Amino acid sequence: MRSVDLIIVHCTGTPNGDSLFRGKFQDAGFETPVEVIDREHARRGFQRGQPWRNQQNPQLAAIGYHFVVYTNGAVATGRHVDEIGAHARGYNANSLGLSLIGTDKFTTKQWESLAALVRGLQATYRG
């Protein structure tokens, strides 16, 4: 386990109320929010190493966050917690990146899930 002493909470900077689900579930073009974020992070030049992709979320080639909190409160994984993130230049090596979908108006379920996630991570990484 890598040394983590910082949890950084971000927002996706996407329109409030947009869940980031794209397409219809049964359609070939359907994308989940982490896949939408992954596509944007790839466009920005972020990359994940193949060994980490083999270990967790092989379909995500570039996502910089470790966790994403959906508008319905579900928590999705991005990068493996032992993988250095790409979310806060200068702080990635010792931090975990969490992101809430939206910009500045989040759902009660998002806040509840974020609180539970942070509590769990603090318990795991508290030294």
Side-chain angles (χ1 to χ4, degrees):
M1 182 166 27
R2 73 184 172 100
S3 177
V4 171
D5 60 9
L6 188 61
I7 296 171
I8 300 175
V9 179
H10 301 269
C11 70
T12 57
T14 53
N16 292 316
D18 182 349
S19 70
L20 295 187
F21 282 98
R22 298 293 183 253
K24 294 192 189 290
F25 181 70
Q26 49 281 45
D27 294 348
F30 176 76
E31 287 183 296
T32 65
V34 292
E35 291 168 330
V36 171
I37 294 165
D38 184 67
R39 186 169 28 87
E40 174 60 20
H41 285 187
R43 188 189 67 73
R44 293 175 58 193
F46 299 177
Q47 295 180 29
R48 295 181 66 213
Q50 194 60 51
W52 288 113
R53 289 179 67 186
N54 291 343
Q55 201 166 2
Q56 180 173 302
N57 294 327
Q59 77 283 12
L60 301 177
I63 193 163
Y65 306 124
H66 296 93
F67 298 95
V68 177
V69 182
Y70 289 8
T71 55
N72 66 2
V75 176
T77 59
R79 291 188 181 218
H80 189 282
V81 292
D82 287 334
E83 180 180 5
I84 294 174
H87 57 91
R89 189 178 308 205
Y91 297 93
N92 290 319
N94 65 315
S95 68
L96 293 173
L98 289 52
S99 190
L100 296 160
I101 292 178
T103 297
D104 60 0
K105 292 184 172 110
F106 306 105
T107 67
T108 300
K109 289 181 181 184
Q110 281 179 294
W111 288 120
E112 291 168 352
S113 293
L114 177 65
L117 177 59
V118 169
R119 278 192 302 271
L121 292 170
Q122 286 175 324
T124 298
Y125 289 95
R126 195 166 275 146

